[in-house]
Amino acid sequence: MSTLQRARCRLRAHPFALDAALAAGVLVCMVAGSFVDPHGPHGVTWELRTPDPLSLTLMTLGAAALVLRRRAPRTVLALTGAASVAESVTGDPRAPVAMCVVVALYTVASTTDRPTTWRVGLLTMTVLTGAAMIAGPLPWYAQENLGLFAWTGIGATAGDAVRSHRAFVQAIRERAERAERTREEEARRRVAEERLRIARDLHDVVAHHIALVNVQAGVAAHVMDKRPDQAKEALAHVREASRSALGELRATVGLLRQSDDPEAPTEPTSGLDRLDELAGTFRSAGLRVLVAREDQGPALPAAVDLAAYRVIQEALTNVQKHAGGEAKAEVSVVRVGPRIEITVLDDGTGDDGHGDGGHGDGGQGDGHGGGHGLLGMRERVTALRGTLTTGPRFGGGFRVHAILPLEPGTSTAQDGP
């Protein structure tokens, strides 16, 4: 940022100070101009003169009113106009009090609309010029009277030009923002249409081939005993239909994959029955892991089993990444009535610079230095209507506690964090 831009930012941040400085500058200019008399005894000559106390007082009052020009522009215009009229009628020779009127009229014009600017500007020019011509000490045709008309008109015109420029810039900015929103909406619409198209393709592929497999399987079962050749032919059709369905599904799902996505896994779905194997992989990587289990009973639902395994896997991964080289992790899996509770504790000190073991913000954000670990765990648990509590432990380390219901549709919200 350049020096000029920094100065503009400071002035915008302190408008009252800017107005006070402007008022002081206008006062200096008016006082300096009041010491000059263009009408000397020998024609148009410049010579010093001493302004009278009333003129100095009016100049001071008019400049002081400019300090409030942003807060009450029309009131300031009325006050400065009254001071200028008083100076035009009584001052001889005249002091340039009308300078503060020009600034006030500029402010009014730059903060209102054009019709108001026309009305206020014409009224100000008429009142000041008429008072100077009719009641002033100078002849009505004096150049000072015409100067009042010209300078007030310049102030109104300049203010209207500034207001028009601001409106133009604002319109451009709004148009750009509207165009950006339109692009985002168009992108979302195209994504939704593409998802709908893929869903239709998947439906068509699955419905057609599964129906074909069902028919051929029924034929094979019906003729298996009496006509084994025909049953063999039907089973061949089943195999061909299933192969074709798998190929089309693979091609359709491939549209959703990124170029660097791993291939689909061929190993069995992970669950708590592989917890010891999971702990062993972390032990071989140097992390001390203790596992305690009290989850005897019927087999867990597949979704709950997978979610529990993934929560433990992600929590131990976070310990390995962020808790420090000497950290120890404790995993507890307990079945309590109609739910299962998973707790992962560590005593990490955050040697990598993460004060609480680097586990993020207590589960409220995405955690882990910009990753999505805690967020992913929370989404998995919430999808099963469970609860997840994460946060630093007293004395150091981190705690992850998940409660998963064993029955579909059962909520654990009453257990809250």
Side-chain angles (χ1 to χ4, degrees):
M1 184 180 294
S2 64
T3 304
L4 181 59
Q5 290 176 335
R6 287 195 295 270
R8 288 179 178 176
C9 291
R10 294 193 186 99
L11 291 177
R12 290 174 182 173
H14 303 88
F16 186 80
L18 175 61
D19 292 339
L22 176 63
V26 171
L27 178 60
V28 170
C29 293
M30 288 191 297
V31 172
S34 66
F35 279 93
V36 178
D37 183 11
H39 301 284
H42 304 290
V44 181
T45 59
W46 295 87
E47 62 182 24
L48 294 177
R49 66 181 174 86
T50 303
D52 55 41
L54 178 60
S55 297
L56 291 175
T57 302
L58 292 175
M59 287 186 290
T60 303
L61 292 177
L66 293 179
V67 178
L68 303 176
R69 69 186 187 95
R70 297 178 191 266
R71 300 182 181 180
R74 299 190 186 186
T75 302
V76 171
L77 177 61
L79 293 176
T80 55
S84 181
V85 169
E87 169 60 21
S88 299
V89 174
T90 61
D92 186 21
R94 188 178 299 168
V97 181
M99 186 180 296
C100 58
V101 181
V102 175
V103 177
L105 184 57
Y106 164 85
T107 304
V108 172
S110 64
T111 55
T112 57
D113 53 10
R114 180 162 294 171
T116 303
T117 299
W118 276 96
R119 290 194 297 268
V120 174
L122 288 176
L123 178 62
T124 303
M125 288 187 289
T126 302
V127 171
L128 265 64
T129 306
M133 288 181 174
I134 296 173
L138 298 177
W140 67 270
Y141 54 83
Q143 63 179 0
E144 286 84 351
N145 297 336
L146 299 178
L148 282 176
F149 185 87
W151 281 108
T152 50
I154 291 174
T157 304
D160 184 71
V162 170
R163 180 197 56 78
S164 300
H165 177 71
R166 291 174 181 170
F168 177 72
V169 173
Q170 181 64 24
I172 292 178
R173 185 179 294 111
E174 292 177 354
R175 190 178 300 113
E177 294 175 354
R178 193 181 306 114
E180 182 66 23
R181 289 195 299 269
T182 303
R183 284 195 295 270
E184 294 176 356
E185 292 172 358
E186 179 66 16
R188 287 194 293 268
R189 184 186 65 81
R190 291 184 178 181
V191 169
E193 290 179 353
E194 182 66 13
R195 288 176 176 174
L196 182 59
R197 186 189 67 80
I198 294 174
R200 285 196 298 263
D201 291 345
L202 286 174
H203 174 269
D204 294 343
V205 169
V206 173
H208 170 71
H209 290 288
I210 294 300
L212 182 60
V213 167
N214 181 64
V215 171
Q216 295 295 339
V219 171
H222 181 69
V223 300
M224 179 68 69
D225 296 332
K226 297 181 179 179
R227 287 174 286 180
D229 293 339
Q230 188 174 353
K232 185 182 298 185
E233 182 180 355
L235 291 177
H237 287 303
V238 169
R239 183 175 61 182
E240 183 65 25
S242 61
R243 183 186 298 113
S244 178
L246 288 175
E248 294 190 27
L249 284 175
R250 187 178 297 109
T252 304
V253 175
L255 297 175
L256 304 178
R257 286 185 176 272
Q258 302 295 328
S259 59
D260 56 348
D261 283 346
E263 295 295 331
T266 56
E267 58 185 8
T269 303
S270 301
L272 290 180
D273 56 340
R274 303 181 60 189
L275 180 56
D276 293 334
E277 178 183 347
L278 176 67
T281 60
F282 284 96
R283 292 191 187 103
S284 63
L287 178 65
R288 293 179 294 166
V289 181
L290 300 179
V291 179
R293 299 184 61 174
E294 284 291 336
D295 57 335
Q296 293 82 6
L300 298 176
V304 176
D305 198 18
L306 176 61
Y309 179 87
R310 294 304 186 195
V311 167
I312 297 173
Q313 183 183 43
E314 182 60 35
L316 291 178
T317 301
N318 293 336
V319 176
Q320 179 72 28
K321 288 182 178 180
H322 306 293
E326 301 297 325
K328 180 180 67 174
E330 299 179 3
V331 180
S332 171
V333 181
V334 180
R335 188 192 293 253
V336 182
R339 62 192 182 188
I340 187 167
E341 297 186 12
I342 299 98
T343 305
V344 181
L345 307 175
D346 71 81
D347 57 356
T349 57
D351 295 338
D352 59 352
H354 300 265
D356 60 1
H359 293 274
D361 57 355
Q364 302 305 318
D366 55 16
H368 321 305
H372 300 275
L374 296 183
L375 182 60
M377 283 192 285
R378 187 172 298 279
E379 289 177 349
R380 283 184 179 275
V381 173
T382 304
L384 298 175
R385 305 192 65 173
T387 58
L388 178 72
T389 307
T390 61
R393 299 172 61 193
F394 180 79
F398 203 79
R399 176 177 181 267
V400 175
H401 181 67
I403 302 177
L404 298 172
L406 301 181
E407 296 294 331
T410 304
S411 174
T412 63
Q414 69 271 16
D415 298 284

